[in-house]
PDB file of all heavy atoms in Angstrom:
ATOM      1  N   GLN A  49       6.897  -3.088  -7.635  1.00 95.00           N
ATOM      2  CA  GLN A  49       7.201  -3.084  -6.220  1.00 95.00           C
ATOM      3  C   GLN A  49       5.947  -3.274  -5.324  1.00 95.00           C
ATOM      4  O   GLN A  49       4.990  -2.635  -5.660  1.00 95.00           O
ATOM      5  CB  GLN A  49       7.890  -1.729  -5.864  1.00 95.00           C
ATOM      6  CG  GLN A  49       9.083  -1.476  -6.571  1.00 95.00           C
ATOM      7  CD  GLN A  49       9.597  -0.089  -6.127  1.00 95.00           C
ATOM      8  OE1 GLN A  49       8.875   0.871  -5.922  1.00 95.00           O
ATOM      9  NE2 GLN A  49      10.979   0.009  -6.080  1.00 95.00           N
ATOM     10  N   ILE A  50       6.113  -3.921  -4.235  1.00 97.00           N
ATOM     11  CA  ILE A  50       5.004  -4.077  -3.267  1.00 97.00           C
ATOM     12  C   ILE A  50       5.562  -3.316  -2.037  1.00 97.00           C
ATOM     13  O   ILE A  50       6.678  -3.395  -1.570  1.00 97.00           O
ATOM     14  CB  ILE A  50       4.786  -5.556  -2.836  1.00 97.00           C
ATOM     15  CG1 ILE A  50       4.235  -6.317  -4.045  1.00 97.00           C
ATOM     16  CG2 ILE A  50       3.781  -5.611  -1.580  1.00 97.00           C
ATOM     17  CD1 ILE A  50       4.022  -7.816  -3.680  1.00 97.00           C
ATOM     18  N   PHE A  51       4.678  -2.444  -1.532  1.00 98.00           N
ATOM     19  CA  PHE A  51       5.066  -1.630  -0.317  1.00 98.00           C
ATOM     20  C   PHE A  51       3.953  -1.846   0.721  1.00 98.00           C
ATOM     21  O   PHE A  51       2.809  -2.189   0.502  1.00 98.00           O
ATOM     22  CB  PHE A  51       5.198  -0.200  -0.696  1.00 98.00           C
ATOM     23  CG  PHE A  51       3.920   0.465  -1.115  1.00 98.00           C
ATOM     24  CD1 PHE A  51       3.038   1.027  -0.265  1.00 98.00           C
ATOM     25  CD2 PHE A  51       3.599   0.539  -2.495  1.00 98.00           C
ATOM     26  CE1 PHE A  51       1.831   1.709  -0.746  1.00 98.00           C
ATOM     27  CE2 PHE A  51       2.415   1.114  -2.886  1.00 98.00           C
ATOM     28  CZ  PHE A  51       1.629   1.711  -2.059  1.00 98.00           C
ATOM     29  N   ILE A  52       4.411  -1.741   2.072  1.00 98.00           N
ATOM     30  CA  ILE A  52       3.461  -1.929   3.200  1.00 98.00           C
ATOM     31  C   ILE A  52       3.688  -0.769   4.141  1.00 98.00           C
ATOM     32  O   ILE A  52       4.634  -0.116   4.191  1.00 98.00           O
ATOM     33  CB  ILE A  52       3.781  -3.311   3.847  1.00 98.00           C
ATOM     34  CG1 ILE A  52       5.138  -3.392   4.353  1.00 98.00           C
ATOM     35  CG2 ILE A  52       3.379  -4.445   2.982  1.00 98.00           C
ATOM     36  CD1 ILE A  52       5.432  -4.724   5.199  1.00 98.00           C
ATOM     37  N   ARG A  53       2.672  -0.684   5.032  1.00 98.00           N
ATOM     38  CA  ARG A  53       2.652   0.347   6.117  1.00 98.00           C
ATOM     39  C   ARG A  53       2.927  -0.368   7.491  1.00 98.00           C
ATOM     40  O   ARG A  53       2.319  -1.324   7.772  1.00 98.00           O
ATOM     41  CB  ARG A  53       1.336   1.039   6.101  1.00 98.00           C
ATOM     42  CG  ARG A  53       1.216   2.171   7.081  1.00 98.00           C
ATOM     43  CD  ARG A  53      -0.140   2.845   6.907  1.00 98.00           C
ATOM     44  NE  ARG A  53      -0.207   4.046   7.680  1.00 98.00           N
ATOM     45  CZ  ARG A  53      -1.364   4.779   7.778  1.00 98.00           C
ATOM     46  NH1 ARG A  53      -2.434   4.414   7.082  1.00 98.00           N
ATOM     47  NH2 ARG A  53      -1.340   5.924   8.412  1.00 98.00           N
ATOM     48  N   LEU A  54       3.869   0.240   8.184  1.00 98.00           N
ATOM     49  CA  LEU A  54       4.335  -0.412   9.400  1.00 98.00           C
ATOM     50  C   LEU A  54       4.538   0.663  10.566  1.00 98.00           C
ATOM     51  O   LEU A  54       4.936   1.808  10.190  1.00 98.00           O
ATOM     52  CB  LEU A  54       5.597  -1.253   9.257  1.00 98.00           C
ATOM     53  CG  LEU A  54       5.447  -2.479   8.366  1.00 98.00           C
ATOM     54  CD1 LEU A  54       6.958  -2.985   7.997  1.00 98.00           C
ATOM     55  CD2 LEU A  54       4.624  -3.582   9.000  1.00 98.00           C
ATOM     56  N   PRO A  55       4.494   0.266  11.807  1.00 97.00           N
ATOM     57  CA  PRO A  55       4.883   1.196  12.872  1.00 97.00           C
ATOM     58  C   PRO A  55       6.400   1.312  12.886  1.00 97.00           C
ATOM     59  O   PRO A  55       7.104   0.524  12.176  1.00 97.00           O
ATOM     60  CB  PRO A  55       4.380   0.439  14.105  1.00 97.00           C
ATOM     61  CG  PRO A  55       4.276  -1.000  13.767  1.00 97.00           C
ATOM     62  CD  PRO A  55       3.989  -1.070  12.298  1.00 97.00           C
ATOM     63  N   GLU A  56       6.900   2.342  13.504  1.00 96.00           N
ATOM     64  CA  GLU A  56       8.313   2.692  13.398  1.00 96.00           C
ATOM     65  C   GLU A  56       9.273   1.496  13.695  1.00 96.00           C
ATOM     66  O   GLU A  56      10.212   1.290  12.942  1.00 96.00           O
ATOM     67  CB  GLU A  56       8.576   3.826  14.319  1.00 96.00           C
ATOM     68  CG  GLU A  56      10.095   4.265  14.183  1.00 96.00           C
ATOM     69  CD  GLU A  56      10.360   5.578  14.977  1.00 96.00           C
ATOM     70  OE1 GLU A  56       9.441   6.110  15.707  1.00 96.00           O
ATOM     71  OE2 GLU A  56      11.512   6.020  14.979  1.00 96.00           O
ATOM     72  N   ASP A  57       9.023   0.771  14.817  1.00 96.00           N
ATOM     73  CA  ASP A  57       9.962  -0.364  15.134  1.00 96.00           C
ATOM     74  C   ASP A  57      10.014  -1.393  14.005  1.00 96.00           C
ATOM     75  O   ASP A  57      11.074  -1.993  13.750  1.00 96.00           O
ATOM     76  CB  ASP A  57       9.650  -0.953  16.559  1.00 96.00           C
ATOM     77  CG  ASP A  57       8.225  -1.495  16.560  1.00 96.00           C
ATOM     78  OD1 ASP A  57       7.304  -0.937  15.885  1.00 96.00           O
ATOM     79  OD2 ASP A  57       8.068  -2.458  17.408  1.00 96.00           O
ATOM     80  N   GLU A  58       8.863  -1.753  13.497  1.00 96.00           N
ATOM     81  CA  GLU A  58       8.862  -2.757  12.487  1.00 96.00           C
ATOM     82  C   GLU A  58       9.487  -2.219  11.112  1.00 96.00           C
ATOM     83  O   GLU A  58      10.127  -2.991  10.431  1.00 96.00           O
ATOM     84  CB  GLU A  58       7.439  -3.302  12.229  1.00 96.00           C
ATOM     85  CG  GLU A  58       6.879  -4.042  13.364  1.00 96.00           C
ATOM     86  CD  GLU A  58       7.657  -5.330  13.614  1.00 96.00           C
ATOM     87  OE1 GLU A  58       7.886  -6.075  12.707  1.00 96.00           O
ATOM     88  OE2 GLU A  58       8.082  -5.534  14.820  1.00 96.00           O
ATOM     89  N   ARG A  59       9.179  -0.974  10.858  1.00 96.00           N
ATOM     90  CA  ARG A  59       9.871  -0.343   9.622  1.00 96.00           C
ATOM     91  C   ARG A  59      11.375  -0.408   9.747  1.00 96.00           C
ATOM     92  O   ARG A  59      11.980  -0.772   8.804  1.00 96.00           O
ATOM     93  CB  ARG A  59       9.426   1.197   9.536  1.00 96.00           C
ATOM     94  CG  ARG A  59       8.257   1.459   8.741  1.00 96.00           C
ATOM     95  CD  ARG A  59       8.086   2.939   8.397  1.00 96.00           C
ATOM     96  NE  ARG A  59       8.436   3.832   9.367  1.00 96.00           N
ATOM     97  CZ  ARG A  59       7.573   4.335  10.292  1.00 96.00           C
ATOM     98  NH1 ARG A  59       6.399   3.807  10.397  1.00 96.00           N
ATOM     99  NH2 ARG A  59       7.974   5.303  11.120  1.00 96.00           N
ATOM    100  N   THR A  60      11.849  -0.074  10.911  1.00 95.00           N
ATOM    101  CA  THR A  60      13.291  -0.103  11.148  1.00 95.00           C
ATOM    102  C   THR A  60      13.858  -1.538  10.936  1.00 95.00           C
ATOM    103  O   THR A  60      14.902  -1.719  10.273  1.00 95.00           O
ATOM    104  CB  THR A  60      13.647   0.433  12.635  1.00 95.00           C
ATOM    105  OG1 THR A  60      13.130   1.762  12.702  1.00 95.00           O
ATOM    106  CG2 THR A  60      15.103   0.389  12.820  1.00 95.00           C
ATOM    107  N   ARG A  61      13.119  -2.505  11.441  1.00 96.00           N
ATOM    108  CA  ARG A  61      13.579  -3.941  11.301  1.00 96.00           C
ATOM    109  C   ARG A  61      13.545  -4.333   9.905  1.00 96.00           C
ATOM    110  O   ARG A  61      14.450  -5.020   9.403  1.00 96.00           O
ATOM    111  CB  ARG A  61      12.575  -4.807  12.218  1.00 96.00           C
ATOM    112  CG  ARG A  61      13.093  -6.165  12.369  1.00 96.00           C
ATOM    113  CD  ARG A  61      12.348  -6.939  13.448  1.00 96.00           C
ATOM    114  NE  ARG A  61      11.019  -7.224  13.190  1.00 96.00           N
ATOM    115  CZ  ARG A  61      10.578  -8.364  12.640  1.00 96.00           C
ATOM    116  NH1 ARG A  61      11.436  -9.415  12.561  1.00 96.00           N
ATOM    117  NH2 ARG A  61       9.267  -8.587  12.402  1.00 96.00           N
ATOM    118  N   LEU A  62      12.528  -3.959   9.123  1.00 97.00           N
ATOM    119  CA  LEU A  62      12.380  -4.329   7.738  1.00 97.00           C
ATOM    120  C   LEU A  62      13.412  -3.619   6.904  1.00 97.00           C
ATOM    121  O   LEU A  62      14.105  -4.240   6.073  1.00 97.00           O
ATOM    122  CB  LEU A  62      10.965  -3.968   7.228  1.00 97.00           C
ATOM    123  CG  LEU A  62      10.633  -4.338   5.739  1.00 97.00           C
ATOM    124  CD1 LEU A  62      11.048  -5.763   5.411  1.00 97.00           C
ATOM    125  CD2 LEU A  62       9.268  -3.992   5.425  1.00 97.00           C
TER     126      LEU A  62
END
Side-chain angles (χ1 to χ4, degrees):
Q49 301 176 324
I50 295 175
F51 62 90
I52 60 174
R53 186 177 188 181
L54 294 168
E56 185 175 358
D57 59 331
E58 292 299 310
R59 267 195 323 274
T60 301
R61 192 166 71 97
L62 179 54

